[in-house]
Amino acid sequence: MKITWIIGLICGILGIIGHFTQVQYLSEHSFTLLLIGFLALAVGTTFKGI
């Protein structure tokens, strides 16, 4: 569970950075990174065995 939560947190932070700054890959995929981060946080919090 902890690794899923950490991956979600990292993806969310990268998505936020990509939204507010101009980093080539992060800016192009900021919404996708935020979506993946949110889903990973939701799965990691909901299902304790993952």
Side-chain angles (χ1 to χ4, degrees):
M1 175 195 82
K2 193 170 189 174
I3 191 72
T4 306
W5 201 86
I6 291 172
I7 290 171
L9 187 65
I10 291 171
C11 284
I13 290 171
L14 289 175
I16 291 170
I17 290 171
H19 179 74
F20 289 111
T21 62
Q22 192 64 358
V23 180
Q24 183 178 4
Y25 181 79
L26 295 180
S27 297
E28 293 173 3
H29 302 288
S30 64
F31 180 76
T32 306
L33 285 169
L34 280 171
L35 182 63
I36 291 169
F38 177 73
L39 291 174
L41 285 173
V43 168
T45 304
T46 304
F47 302 109
K48 300 295 181 192
I50 296 177

